[in-house]
Amino acid sequence: MVHKTESDFRQSRPLIRLAKSLGISSSYVGQSHDYHEISDEVLISVIGSMGYDASSDEKIRESSRRIRAQEYSRLIPYTVLHVQGAESTVQVNTTMLESPTGTITLEDGRTFGGRLRVEAGDGSAAVPFQNTFITKTSLVLPVDIPVGYHRLTVKAGKRSSEATLICAPKRIPLDRDLELTRPWGWMAQLYSIRSGESWGIGDFADLSRLLVDAKRKTGADFMMINPLHASEPVTPLTPSPYLPSSRNFLNFTYIHPETIEEYSLLGQESIDKISKLHDSVKELNANSELLDRDAMWHAKMPALWTVFKAGRTFERQQQFDAFRTRRGAELTAYATWCLAYDKWGEPTHDNSSWIHAFDIDSPEVHKLCSQYPDTLSFYEWLEWIADEQFEAAQRNAKAAGMRIGIMADLAVGVHSLGSDVWGNPERYARGATVGAPPDYFNQQGQNWSQPPFEPHNLAETGYKVYREMIHSMFAHAGALRIDHILGLFRLWWIPSGRGSQDGAYVNYDPAVMLGILAIEAQRANGVVVGEDLGIVPDYVRESLKSHGILGCVVEWFEQRDGTFIKPKDWTASAVASLNTHDMPPAAGYLRFEHVRLRDSLHLLTEPLDQVMAAARIEQRSLMNVLVEGGWIKREWLTDIREHEQDIVEGQYKALCASPCKLLAVSIADGVGEGRTQNQPGTNNEYPNWRIPLADSNGDVVPVEELFIHQRLQSLTHVMHRHC
């Protein structure tokens, strides 16, 4: 029998105790219930990435003493969570002779008038610290503290400590209209869907039309789109939307120049210049094989410079200045990174690169900003325009009648050489990246090359960066999808230089982070969806459900012991879909494209015929469920290719038979696209995130024709008849 817990001897080791005091798990249970213990070498490296030395017994003792001093030198933690509607307690580190008092300053500056009760301990748990004894006294927070981000001040004797007090609703309330009905919407990779006016890549103007047409022509209530986080300012542009330079700002390469308000004020010479630039890339819109972001940006960037240099009216300049003031130092840092990237070149991991040689406060960086003030302002202006056009898309969606509108996607992390890390390196762990341990779908594990948030810095700063990030995303969206929401509970940290399997889980404070989500969702009257696929413990899903956060149900993943679970037995608290962006569209799945693709990329760890045989058995099992449910006819299975559309629609009929709160339909499935957008475990071996939307014949489907496409309309009727 396999033991799935650590021995008492292992848990008593100083290294293991140090790791656990920092929130590092020294063992874990994998997807197949396989038990793993983390090696000493990996634990020492992960501990080091948090700024503590565990390289020897003496260093372990020193680090443990340092952690102890940090805890007991403060009266209260840096961040305190309170759930509205119930009393909660804050542990106060006092001496035997001290009696603490507490006051709360609300986020609007007023002093909270309620009483904070003190409950003293009996001293039995007192611990020695710096020639005295620390005892735990409880400060009781009342039920009626309003929702928000407040300041808690606690005094005891001559000491005083302040904390960020996060008062969150118990759960995210679902709008009553959404609760009584079941909305459905489309899943789209925005960059892949072009119109005749695009510059080779889908843009914010295309998004606006997609949303309005989706409502008017199909009755959809939302559109789940790929992350629109900030990318590089100059080419080459990173294709993956899940490896951004910043999650605090938008990808301004999605701007549509002709929709900028100042475009209408341009002279004929400038308009002709922009028109010529657009014509130079217009043919890209008809390319069904590969997207070319770099060609797009080479043409679009000078067009945007032309609009920027034309200036603004006094009123518009005031609006621009207000945006800069509102976004403050974060915007300045991002624009500065863009300027340095623009003038000094692409940052690299080489120590001689500017990103390692200079920090944001270096004299060399200040000199650069003084030398190119217009370019610095240009990058701030691009963010303002991107923000305006994204906001307009959501506004138009709501005006068209969409109940949710945009479902934005929050990537799990950022590029290690991006602006977020360079501008605020203290927020991130050093010498580690995040990923996932081996599982069935990715048998070699995954390394996403992104540095994780340092959990202790989050706590010490009141989770400010996380709060602001969630707030900014809800500013222009009716729903938010959190990629890899397990990351709010724990992340798989991989020390530099090691393989994906040689990592360890580092734990975060999910109650605080879920509380922040609840605050921001309540204020935006929005919906939160957590991507909870893969190795996700049951307690995580239960916690999400109790907070009113929807999980994800993927029809092809709903299996137990090799048998597909009937849709009526799926969890209700979820968004249901057939597939994800890391899987083939429905047509590709029926053709076993996912097996052939992984084989061609040498990603299989077993012989092709063995994997293909297993895939055929799996597909047959799914088809049997569809036949038994009455969603497809058994005779169709004798010629799946001939009845491909019928079988795809049958899978969506099964989706509609589930109790899931929201249903998401892939636009790729709507037009018969068979190609995968992204193959995990690859980079340039496959054109990830560069596949244009095409139909079953390989022809481009433009925005103008998308929602009148015969196959898509047929699938739309399925959703209306069966939901």
Side-chain angles (χ1 to χ4, degrees):
M1 179 178 178
V2 178
H3 293 283
K4 295 190 173 117
T5 58
E6 295 175 279
S7 67
D8 291 340
F9 172 76
R10 177 173 168 82
Q11 294 188 65
S12 68
R13 295 180 58 212
L15 175 64
I16 303 300
R17 292 204 306 267
L18 174 61
K20 291 185 175 181
S21 71
L22 291 170
I24 304 168
S25 297
S26 52
S27 66
Y28 77 97
V29 176
Q31 186 179 40
S32 301
H33 306 289
D34 44 328
Y35 173 69
H36 302 266
E37 290 185 349
I38 310 302
S39 70
D40 287 3
E41 292 77 11
V42 169
L43 289 175
I44 290 169
S45 295
V46 174
I47 290 170
S49 69
M50 291 185 176
Y52 295 91
D53 194 340
S55 59
S56 67
D57 291 344
E58 178 55 33
K59 294 298 184 182
I60 290 173
R61 285 191 290 270
E62 289 179 10
S63 293
S64 297
R65 285 193 292 267
R66 180 179 157 198
I67 294 169
R68 182 184 173 94
Q70 290 169 342
E71 177 184 357
Y72 291 133
S73 61
R74 286 183 55 84
L75 291 170
I76 52 176
Y78 287 100
T79 299
V80 172
L81 174 68
H82 174 69
V83 178
Q84 189 185 44
E87 285 189 346
S88 62
T89 59
V90 182
Q91 297 298 314
V92 185
N93 297 317
T94 62
T95 64
M96 301 289 287
L97 301 177
E98 292 176 329
S99 179
T101 59
T103 57
I104 296 173
T105 303
L106 302 177
E107 62 181 345
D108 62 4
R110 295 180 296 117
T111 299
F112 176 67
R115 178 173 173 269
L116 279 62
R117 191 172 76 253
V118 175
E119 293 181 351
D122 59 8
S124 61
V127 294
F129 177 69
Q130 295 182 348
N131 301 319
T132 187
F133 284 89
I134 298 295
T135 185
K136 295 291 186 180
T137 301
S138 296
L139 189 67
V140 181
L141 304 179
V143 300
D144 56 342
I145 301 173
V147 167
Y149 308 111
H150 316 303
R151 297 297 299 173
L152 171 63
T153 303
V154 174
K155 296 181 179 180
K158 296 181 179 180
R159 295 190 298 155
S160 177
S161 293
E162 283 193 348
T164 299
L165 174 61
I166 298 174
C167 182
K170 184 177 181 179
R171 61 183 285 114
I172 300 170
L174 190 63
D175 183 272
R176 181 168 174 78
D177 183 42
L178 299 180
E179 187 75 65
L180 295 176
T181 60
R182 186 165 58 160
W184 70 274
W186 297 100
M187 298 190 299
Q189 300 293 319
L190 174 60
Y191 55 82
S192 71
I193 312 174
R194 290 81 51 86
S195 67
E197 301 305 314
S198 302
W199 291 61
I201 301 290
D203 56 38
F204 288 126
D206 295 325
L207 174 61
S208 188
R209 178 162 183 177
L210 283 169
L211 290 161
V212 173
D213 283 358
K215 182 59 183 179
R216 291 177 178 171
K217 297 177 181 179
T218 71
D221 276 310
F222 66 87
M223 184 170 289
M224 182 192 301
I225 58 174
N226 56 277
L228 300 181
H229 304 312
S231 181
E232 300 87 352
V234 294
T235 59
L237 302 179
T238 299
S240 174
Y242 290 94
L243 190 60
S245 67
S246 172
R247 292 188 294 175
N248 293 317
F249 294 99
L250 291 167
N251 186 334
F252 47 59
T253 68
Y254 283 100
I255 292 173
H256 186 250
E258 296 91 330
T259 311
I260 301 171
E261 187 169 326
E262 280 68 34
Y263 178 82
S264 62
L265 304 178
L266 296 178
Q268 192 60 47
E269 182 179 349
S270 294
I271 290 176
D272 290 344
K273 178 182 178 181
I274 292 174
S275 179
K276 185 176 180 180
L277 287 165
H278 178 261
D279 288 345
S280 71
V281 292
K282 191 172 184 178
E283 288 186 1
L284 293 176
N285 296 326
N287 187 324
S288 64
E289 297 298 321
L290 197 66
L291 298 170
D292 192 341
R293 287 178 173 82
D294 291 348
M296 172 275 297
W297 194 231
H298 280 304
K300 189 184 287 188
M301 192 178 191
L304 293 170
W305 261 108
T306 300
V307 180
F308 171 74
K309 295 293 286 185
R312 289 153 293 286
T313 64
F314 177 75
E315 181 182 4
R316 287 283 287 167
Q317 183 62 44
Q318 282 187 314
Q319 294 172 10
F320 178 30
D321 291 341
F323 175 80
R324 288 196 287 192
T325 299
R326 186 168 69 252
R327 300 307 302 266
E330 297 283 345
L331 176 61
T332 301
Y334 172 65
T336 302
W337 177 85
C338 288
L339 175 63
Y341 196 123
D342 186 334
K343 302 303 179 183
W344 289 338
E346 179 182 0
T348 67
H349 290 286
D350 189 291
N351 288 333
S352 63
S353 176
W354 63 266
I355 204 160
H356 301 297
F358 310 127
D359 62 36
I360 195 169
D361 295 317
S362 298
E364 293 85 353
V365 173
H366 287 297
K367 181 179 178 181
L368 183 72
C369 293
S370 299
Q371 188 177 358
Y372 298 101
D374 274 3
T375 309
L376 184 68
S377 182
F378 173 63
Y379 285 121
E380 293 177 323
W381 176 82
L382 287 176
E383 270 307 311
W384 174 52
I385 296 300
D387 188 83
E388 280 197 329
Q389 293 195 353
F390 193 33
E391 179 183 27
Q394 174 67 358
R395 186 171 61 248
N396 291 338
K398 299 292 280 188
M402 274 194 168
R403 289 183 286 171
I404 295 174
I406 295 171
M407 182 180 289
D409 199 348
L410 176 65
V412 69
V414 294
H415 198 294
S416 60
L417 301 177
S419 64
D420 280 0
V421 179
W422 183 67
N424 299 96
E426 72 283 354
R427 295 173 178 172
Y428 297 89
R430 299 180 180 181
T433 54
V434 298
D439 59 26
Y440 174 77
F441 197 64
N442 297 283
Q443 297 171 356
Q444 300 172 16
Q446 298 179 66
N447 188 335
W448 303 325
S449 304
Q450 299 164 325
F453 273 140
E454 207 290 305
H456 304 98
N457 177 268
L458 281 174
E460 289 173 7
T461 56
Y463 290 77
K464 183 174 183 291
V465 61
Y466 187 74
R467 286 156 37 195
E468 292 178 347
M469 181 172 64
I470 299 301
H471 179 79
S472 66
M473 292 204 68
F474 262 125
H476 309 319
L480 179 58
R481 175 189 179 272
I482 311 292
D483 188 46
H484 193 66
I485 200 165
L486 179 61
L488 304 190
F489 296 78
R490 66 182 190 184
L491 278 173
W492 184 253
W493 287 25
I494 306 166
S496 298
R498 291 188 172 270
S500 304
Q501 71 277 9
D502 292 328
Y505 278 116
V506 175
N507 298 294
Y508 290 77
D509 192 331
V512 172
M513 300 178 88
L514 294 175
I516 291 168
L517 278 174
I519 292 172
E520 297 301 332
Q522 184 185 78
R523 290 177 170 180
N525 193 29
V527 177
V528 178
V529 177
E531 187 269 296
D532 56 350
L533 305 173
I535 304 174
V536 179
D538 290 340
Y539 76 87
V540 172
R541 291 195 171 94
E542 288 302 316
S543 182
L544 298 180
K545 186 176 180 180
S546 69
H547 280 83
I549 295 173
L550 302 181
C552 291
V553 165
V554 175
E555 186 169 318
W556 301 340
F557 287 167
E558 288 300 296
Q559 304 179 47
R560 185 183 298 119
D561 300 325
T563 302
F564 278 86
I565 302 169
K566 294 181 179 179
K568 68 180 181 63
D569 296 324
W570 298 352
T571 180
S573 182
V575 176
S577 65
L578 253 62
N579 43 36
T580 73
H581 55 252
D582 290 335
M583 302 167 68
Y589 177 81
L590 292 176
R591 302 170 196 166
F592 300 104
E593 292 296 335
H594 52 305
V595 177
R596 296 188 180 92
L597 177 59
R598 289 160 65 200
D599 177 59
S600 69
L601 297 170
H602 308 292
L603 295 176
L604 299 180
T605 59
E606 298 170 337
L608 172 60
D609 57 352
Q610 186 175 335
V611 176
M612 183 64 79
R616 292 186 187 282
I617 292 172
E618 176 188 278
Q619 189 179 107
R620 193 177 308 121
S621 176
L622 174 59
M623 295 301 108
N624 286 336
V625 171
L626 298 178
V627 170
E628 291 167 5
W631 299 304
I632 66 172
K633 297 179 180 179
R634 187 169 295 280
E635 55 264 31
W636 293 347
L637 302 181
T638 59
D639 191 344
I640 289 179
R641 194 61 181 266
E642 174 67 23
H643 294 282
E644 184 177 271
Q645 183 175 347
D646 295 318
I647 296 173
V648 169
E649 292 182 0
Q651 292 179 71
Y652 277 101
K653 291 174 185 177
L655 203 74
C656 293
S658 77
C660 298
K661 295 288 187 185
L662 300 178
L663 303 179
V665 185
S666 169
I667 280 182
D669 292 345
V671 297
E673 171 69 83
R675 296 171 295 177
T676 299
Q677 277 294 321
N678 176 60
Q679 176 55 56
T682 65
N683 186 12
N684 290 319
E685 301 92 333
Y686 180 75
N688 294 321
W689 315 111
R690 285 166 282 184
I691 304 295
L693 181 70
D695 62 18
S696 56
N697 298 318
D699 297 326
V700 166
V701 183
V703 172
E704 295 89 341
E705 301 173 14
L706 178 59
F707 292 109
I708 59 173
H709 189 280
Q710 183 178 1
R711 184 163 176 163
L712 184 141
Q713 275 292 315
S714 179
L715 183 53
T716 296
H717 294 152
V718 167
M719 299 306 294
H720 284 295
R721 284 198 306 269
H722 294 271
C723 285

